[in-house]
Amino acid sequence: MSEKIVLIDGHSILNRAFYGVPNLSNSEGIHTNAVYGFLNILFKILEEEHPQYLTVAFDLNVPTFRHNRYAEYKGTRKPMPGELAEQVPLMKEVLKAMGVTIVTKEGYEADDILGTLAAKCETGGMEVTIVSGDRDLLQLATDHTMIRIPKTRFGQTTIEDYHAGDVVAKYQLLPYQIIELKALMGDASDNIPGIPGVGEKTATKILLEYQNIENAHEHVEDIRPNKAKNSLKEHYDMAKLSKELATICTDCPIDFDIESARMTNFYTPEAYEIFRRLDFKNLLTRFDEETAVSEKPLETEIIRNKDKLGKIIQSACDHGTVGISLIIQEKLWGIGISFGREEVYYAPVGDLLEEEYLKEKLDLLFSKCDIVSVLDLKEALKFTRAAKQKNVFDAQIAAYLINPLKAKYTYDDIAKEFAGEMLATVEDLFGKSKLPKLGTVSMDILAAYAGNMAYSVYCSRDPLEKMLKDLNMYELYTRIEIPLAFTLYDMEQAGMRVDAQSLKEYGDKLKLRIDELEQSIYQQAGEKFNINSPKQLGVVLFEKLQLPGGRKTKTGYSTAADILEKMAPSAPIVNDILEYRQMTKLKSTYADGLAGYIGADDRIHSTFNQTITATGRISSTEPNLQNIPIRMELGKMIRKVFIPKDGCLFIDADYSQIELRVLASLSADENLIEAYREEKDIHRMTASKVFHVPFGEVTPLQRRNAKAVNFGIVYGISSFGLSQDLNISRKEASQYIEDYFKNYPKIKEFLDEKVKTAKEDGYVTTKFGRRRPIPELKSSNFMQRSFGERVAMNAPIQGTAADIIKIAMIRVNERLKNEGYKSKLLLQVHDELLIEAPETEVKDVSALLKEEMTGAADLAVALEVDMHTGKDWYDAH
């Protein structure tokens, strides 16, 4: 039986995979979809072909003999998207790690290399399979050389196979006539001209009768139709050139030792390491256990008695630097400790090691060690009060600052990216990406989990700290983010008191209104139907009631809010539907949703996250207290159920136009700065300038429109976006923006400069050094690039504002504690802080709050704060 070689057209398959597999990237932000798709196609081919040899050919980014012959060859091709271009060297690196032979040749294309190798191997008695997405290669098909053309859609690959007979069956032509076909009809993708007016159908007809262009030209007077005859007569030289360009070279001068292409074991330690780095987790199952462990696995010793644990704690304190992991699931299950690769321990809560004893040992570590590294400082603070800002290191916060675009920061990713350590992942240990119920897990696996996490934060601390310093973010980390973790912990512990009875009454009031709206909608529709079903609603509105503005999709009429809002002024039923949606959301999300979070202390203890948003803003979850409605009156009424404890008031302090003030300061625009210094109404002044009317004659509508322009500029709004917001023409909106920039020229310069530097550097920074990477600016997609430009304009402003509010929170919280106040900081919502203060402290704490908030940053314009007090959150806002 003959041996077989598989030859792969590298760029072609990589290109097919790139467009066929959804966008993927690894934990470092490197695009990987093309490489992942290529490997899946490769493995599928090899499993089907069972070859003994394998070679991949790549094009080089230099002119070939075809370019020398015809300068416009491939001249119409768009440049390769950046996301694909970055994967070409990566693909070669992966193949090299797998031991796969790669062949390139200057002056020739991959097609020529494949053609040459196929001819050599077939002559040597081998079976040949060529894998490419390029149908030009069909000219190489023989009884012993098969062309396989993969198609990948939505991650699924199908393959068309062609021996010589299959080419005839599909195209009616012999393989060599594929060249003749291109000579006549040309090839738009390669910019091969062909001859004018001849398409595939006419070209095929000519070749079936005359075999090739030379014979056709000899019988040119017999060719029909006349258009094709005249074209071949007048452009025969172009047909000959096209034939030359379309012909794959089968004897290009390459040195190739067939034995170098013999397949060996792909699953090498080098390949395993690169697959791990690229996060190809499901491909790692192909490696045997011996290969998968590229270095000695981490061993965690389980400590079960107090004497041994005491000695380890002492050793950790003597060492000075230690990594700690807390295993928490509803309670503390144990702690992991590491101060070296050979010093990894797990102390479980049990009969011999009580929870309180472990907490005492944690306090000892935090008080005696020079540095204690953790993965989530705020969580650790629940079990120790000995942690101090100066001696804790949070690997999660550090990794977040370095790359704030990631969805999560796992211990294994951090160890891999910053310390080059390949540690067992949650999936490796538990067989799933989420923790199971820990009561069902063996002690050995739990120990391994705790040990890997503790070692990860230990070994990654130095490289993380170095990178923070290299990126000029170490001060941001130590002066804002670490103190903030302590502040957020205090806020979570304080919680917000809720009047459960008032919340129920609020829900009842909503239910009453929902019932009224339901009856009104049914009456106007003339029937009962499911208002929450877009399909049924679409039929009622656009078929039964014949309302204008219906837009049909594959699944029925669209009933999205933007469509309904345009219809609302002329259709009372639509107004009711929009209000119904608002009421039902209020009831399910807030009236019903919040009730489940009220604790035994009558308070809701939300979780505040500082490693979620790319801009640096804090988010709130379980429940989200930052998303309490404020736009509609009934929505705002939910704030009435949040009340301070007896004898206390709420103090609500809100920064006034902080982002516009930041913009004025960062842009150094004299006109905007002067307006703030003179304490003018900014929106009225902008209206006066943009609409060319005296300051005292600005109408309320003009002021509202100017306000939209002011805040729109902060967010990099387009003329289209502004036209939608103000319900004006795009031309008018464009003029508004143009006039705005004429009056505030430094703002335009500032925003343009931010986009320019972001394109050069790949990121923007806030006033305090926080980085926001913007990979979208390198995207081949216009919408993505436009989004990136808006981010480049907005992130320095919004991020600086977020940093300022964090500084204010930290200072307010620390002063309240240090100066012995009973008042507590409870909540931060964007630019607003909420404090619960005993009535006797309200005056002093209000002054403290104003002092720290206005003094949080040194800007070119003063920070202003609006402050109110009240018996509930509604009255205080």
Side-chain angles (χ1 to χ4, degrees):
M1 188 175 176
S2 300
E3 290 194 305
K4 182 186 289 186
I5 186 168
V6 167
L7 302 170
I8 295 183
D9 185 348
H11 273 101
S12 172
I13 298 305
L14 202 58
N15 190 69
R16 287 284 169 120
F18 177 75
Y19 289 106
V21 177
N23 187 28
L24 298 173
S25 57
N26 75 339
S27 59
E28 300 165 47
I30 297 168
H31 293 282
T32 58
N33 62 320
V35 175
Y36 182 74
F38 185 107
L39 289 171
N40 278 321
I41 292 171
L42 172 64
F43 292 140
K44 180 179 173 68
I45 293 287
L46 296 180
E47 282 162 11
E48 292 173 357
E49 293 290 318
H50 304 291
Q52 289 73 45
Y53 302 90
L54 172 67
T55 294
V56 181
F58 281 98
D59 297 317
L60 294 173
N61 193 22
V62 293
T64 66
F65 71 88
R66 292 180 180 84
H67 294 93
N68 297 333
R69 186 75 183 82
Y70 181 58
E72 290 81 18
Y73 178 66
K74 291 190 175 178
T76 53
R77 283 202 178 174
K78 292 180 182 177
M80 188 184 290
E83 302 94 321
L84 173 56
E86 74 180 45
Q87 294 184 68
V88 175
L90 185 60
M91 187 71 249
K92 291 178 180 178
E93 186 185 347
V94 169
L95 292 171
K96 187 178 177 184
M98 293 169 65
V100 176
T101 298
I102 296 172
V103 182
T104 59
K105 181 67 179 176
E106 196 165 318
Y108 293 88
E109 295 180 58
D111 289 4
D112 303 312
I113 296 168
L114 297 171
T116 300
L117 295 181
K120 277 187 179 182
C121 293
E122 187 173 332
T123 301
M126 296 176 71
E127 295 292 314
V128 178
T129 294
I130 298 175
V131 185
S132 175
D134 188 351
R135 293 182 183 272
D136 291 357
L137 286 154
L138 294 177
Q139 64 187 267
L140 301 176
T142 70
D143 290 343
H144 297 284
T145 294
M146 178 169 66
I147 315 301
R148 305 199 72 186
I149 301 178
K151 290 181 176 179
T152 301
R153 281 176 60 81
F154 308 114
Q156 298 297 311
T157 299
T158 56
I159 300 176
E160 294 177 8
D161 297 333
Y162 295 93
H163 278 109
D166 302 307
V167 176
V168 176
K170 176 84 181 230
Y171 295 98
Q172 302 174 264
L173 303 173
L174 293 165
Y176 83 87
Q177 289 180 299
I178 297 295
I179 304 168
E180 311 291 337
L181 189 70
K182 301 276 184 186
L184 292 172
M185 64 177 278
D187 185 342
S189 68
D190 288 340
N191 203 30
I192 295 174
I195 61 175
V198 174
E200 185 173 356
K201 190 175 178 181
T202 302
T204 302
K205 183 182 174 187
I206 291 169
L207 293 172
L208 287 173
E209 191 163 352
Y210 299 106
Q211 290 79 49
N212 56 50
I213 61 168
E214 291 80 9
N215 194 31
H217 188 250
E218 283 182 22
H219 299 85
V220 71
E221 294 301 335
D222 300 329
I223 288 176
R224 295 291 178 271
N226 286 333
K227 185 179 178 182
K229 175 182 77 174
N230 294 333
S231 187
L232 185 57
K233 280 171 71 174
E234 292 172 26
H235 301 286
Y236 181 53
D237 57 338
M238 195 60 78
K240 288 197 293 183
L241 172 64
S242 298
K243 181 173 178 175
E244 193 179 332
L245 296 174
T247 302
I248 292 172
C249 176
T250 57
D251 60 353
C252 61
I254 52 175
D255 294 323
F256 181 72
D257 174 13
I258 187 67
E259 282 309 309
S260 69
R262 186 175 284 278
M263 282 177 51
T264 54
N265 178 23
F266 295 147
Y267 306 111
T268 64
E270 295 80 9
Y272 184 83
E273 191 168 325
I274 199 167
F275 279 27
R276 277 287 294 264
R277 179 160 67 85
L278 297 178
D279 295 336
F280 294 162
K281 290 178 181 174
N282 62 336
L283 295 181
L284 293 177
T285 57
R286 294 173 170 270
F287 292 80
D288 60 46
E289 200 172 315
E290 211 170 285
T291 306
V293 182
S294 54
E295 59 183 1
K296 185 183 172 189
L298 205 66
E299 291 182 5
T300 302
E301 184 181 343
I302 301 172
I303 308 302
R304 300 179 187 274
N305 68 74
K306 293 179 179 179
D307 287 345
K308 184 71 184 283
L309 181 59
K311 288 174 184 175
I312 288 164
I313 298 287
Q314 187 57 54
S315 295
C317 294
D318 292 343
H319 188 273
T321 303
V322 65
I324 296 291
S325 63
L326 299 177
I327 308 307
I328 304 162
Q329 195 178 78
E330 296 174 357
K331 63 175 184 176
L332 181 66
W333 287 75
I335 60 172
I337 303 169
S338 176
F339 45 96
R341 210 173 200 287
E342 306 299 320
E343 305 285 351
V344 185
Y345 307 97
Y346 176 59
V349 172
D351 295 337
L352 300 177
L353 297 174
E354 307 90 353
E355 183 175 339
E356 285 307 312
Y357 180 79
L358 284 183
K359 287 181 182 178
E360 287 174 22
K361 293 304 171 189
L362 271 177
D363 286 345
L364 191 62
L365 284 168
F366 277 104
S367 57
K368 297 291 184 184
C369 287
D370 298 332
I371 297 288
V372 179
S373 281
V374 294
L375 190 68
D376 185 341
L377 171 58
K378 181 160 62 66
E379 194 73 3
L381 291 175
K382 294 176 182 176
F383 297 92
T384 178
R385 300 304 288 159
K388 301 179 287 292
Q389 291 180 21
K390 65 181 182 181
N391 80 327
V392 292
F393 187 88
D394 189 325
Q396 180 175 252
I397 292 174
Y400 160 73
L401 286 179
I402 291 164
N403 181 6
L405 303 184
K406 291 174 66 171
K408 55 185 178 179
Y409 302 86
T410 59
Y411 69 83
D412 55 293
D413 276 347
I414 290 171
K416 179 177 70 174
E417 187 173 346
F418 298 102
E421 288 274 5
M422 295 291 189
L423 301 180
T425 67
V426 169
E427 200 167 34
D428 292 336
L429 294 169
F430 302 108
K432 55 176 81 171
S433 57
K434 289 185 178 178
L435 286 183
K437 287 189 175 180
L438 296 186
T440 66
V441 175
S442 75
M443 182 65 75
D444 287 343
I445 290 177
L446 207 50
Y449 173 58
N452 276 279
M453 194 189 307
Y455 179 64
S456 166
V457 296
Y458 169 77
C459 71
S460 60
R461 187 193 73 83
D462 282 344
L464 279 166
E465 188 173 290
K466 181 181 184 303
M467 190 166 286
L468 286 172
K469 289 174 179 175
D470 290 345
L471 298 176
N472 297 315
M473 283 195 287
Y474 190 64
E475 191 171 341
L476 171 73
Y477 169 79
T478 55
R479 294 199 178 180
I480 297 181
E481 293 299 331
I482 287 296
L484 180 69
F486 285 84
T487 299
L488 295 179
Y489 168 78
D490 289 339
M491 289 163 59
E492 288 183 5
Q493 294 304 299
M496 292 264 290
R497 187 182 176 201
V498 175
D499 183 337
Q501 183 57 35
S502 294
L503 183 62
K504 184 183 179 304
E505 289 167 7
Y506 176 75
D508 293 342
K509 194 183 293 183
L510 288 173
K511 179 72 169 66
L512 203 62
R513 181 60 184 149
I514 289 166
D515 291 344
E516 287 173 1
L517 288 165
E518 256 184 9
Q519 294 312 310
S520 174
I521 291 166
Y522 294 155
Q523 191 175 352
Q524 291 174 80
E527 63 174 280
K528 280 191 174 185
F529 65 99
N530 184 354
I531 303 168
N532 297 310
S533 163
K535 192 171 184 180
Q536 291 183 36
L537 181 60
V539 170
V540 168
L541 294 180
F542 303 116
E543 291 184 7
K544 182 172 183 183
L545 300 180
Q546 294 287 301
L547 294 178
R551 194 175 73 217
K552 202 159 191 179
T553 65
K554 288 180 183 176
T555 55
Y557 292 96
S558 174
T559 58
D562 59 332
I563 289 174
L564 296 188
E565 280 164 6
K566 286 176 185 173
M567 299 163 53
S570 58
I573 188 174
V574 175
N575 259 322
D576 286 350
I577 289 163
L578 287 170
E579 189 184 347
Y580 173 86
R581 284 182 177 179
Q582 290 173 328
M583 295 298 109
T584 52
K585 183 176 180 184
L586 283 173
K587 186 168 190 312
S588 63
T589 307
Y590 301 108
D592 300 340
L594 291 176
Y597 288 104
I598 301 174
D601 59 355
D602 294 331
R603 289 180 172 255
I604 286 177
H605 298 269
S606 179
T607 298
F608 297 104
N609 311 292
Q610 67 184 112
T611 61
I612 299 292
T613 68
T615 56
R617 279 192 179 276
I618 297 158
S619 71
S620 161
T621 50
E622 295 183 335
N624 183 355
L625 294 180
Q626 294 179 324
N627 207 27
I628 300 295
I630 55 170
R631 289 188 180 174
M632 49 187 291
E633 187 57 30
L634 193 53
K636 280 163 59 174
M637 295 298 286
I638 186 71
R639 291 187 173 217
K640 278 194 167 293
V641 308
F642 291 94
I643 56 173
K645 71 179 180 182
D646 296 343
C648 292
L649 292 174
F650 278 148
I651 308 172
D652 188 291
D654 199 351
Y655 276 117
S656 171
Q657 301 171 352
I658 187 170
E659 290 184 349
L660 271 178
R661 290 171 190 269
V662 167
L663 175 61
S665 186
L666 295 182
S667 67
D669 186 273
E670 293 91 346
N671 292 340
L672 195 52
I673 290 170
E674 190 61 28
Y676 272 118
R677 285 181 178 165
E678 291 178 7
E679 297 186 352
K680 284 188 175 178
D681 179 331
I682 292 296
H683 304 314
R684 182 175 291 277
M685 194 190 78
T686 298
S688 172
K689 289 177 179 291
V690 170
F691 303 125
H692 312 292
V693 294
F695 185 83
E697 296 176 22
V698 171
T699 67
L701 177 61
Q702 286 172 326
R703 186 185 181 279
R704 277 200 305 274
N705 287 353
K707 185 176 180 179
V709 177
N710 269 331
F711 288 119
I713 294 297
V714 169
Y715 286 89
I717 200 166
S718 64
S719 56
F720 174 75
L722 187 61
S723 70
Q724 294 290 103
D725 286 353
L726 299 182
N727 203 19
I728 58 176
S729 73
R730 197 165 176 176
K731 187 176 179 182
E732 279 181 282
S734 186
Q735 190 61 51
Y736 284 4
I737 293 172
E738 193 178 318
D739 288 345
Y740 181 94
F741 285 135
K742 277 180 187 172
N743 287 290
Y744 301 116
K746 288 278 185 69
I747 292 178
K748 178 80 167 88
E749 288 174 25
F750 168 76
L751 296 176
D752 288 346
E753 179 62 21
K754 285 297 161 194
V755 173
K756 179 175 175 286
T757 56
K759 286 178 177 176
E760 292 167 359
D761 301 335
Y763 64 89
V764 289
T765 59
T766 69
K767 175 180 170 65
F768 299 91
R770 184 184 304 277
R771 286 192 179 206
R772 192 340 179 149
I774 314 177
E776 295 88 353
L777 288 171
K778 292 184 179 177
S779 173
S780 57
N781 181 290
F782 172 76
M783 297 296 285
Q784 283 284 298
R785 288 198 307 277
S786 299
F787 169 75
E789 289 178 4
R790 291 195 298 276
V791 169
M793 296 181 216
N794 169 250
I797 303 162
Q798 192 182 119
T800 297
D803 289 339
I804 291 170
I805 194 85
K806 285 179 175 180
I807 292 167
M809 290 166 65
I810 293 162
R811 291 183 180 177
V812 167
N813 190 56
E814 288 182 352
R815 279 194 63 187
L816 289 176
K817 292 200 296 184
N818 294 340
E819 296 177 23
Y821 287 103
K822 292 180 180 176
S823 299
K824 292 182 185 297
L825 175 63
L826 302 186
L827 187 64
Q828 178 264 337
V829 181
H830 306 311
D831 308 327
E832 168 192 357
L833 295 185
L834 186 69
I835 284 183
E836 181 181 73
E839 292 186 39
T840 54
E841 293 182 0
V842 167
K843 184 180 177 183
D844 289 344
V845 169
S846 296
L848 179 157
L849 194 53
K850 186 164 188 177
E851 181 184 339
E852 294 303 342
M853 288 182 75
T854 56
D858 183 18
L859 300 181
V861 297
L863 288 168
E864 291 294 330
V865 176
D866 296 324
M867 201 173 304
H868 305 278
T869 59
K871 284 284 188 184
D872 58 52
W873 191 12
Y874 178 88
D875 290 338
H877 187 64

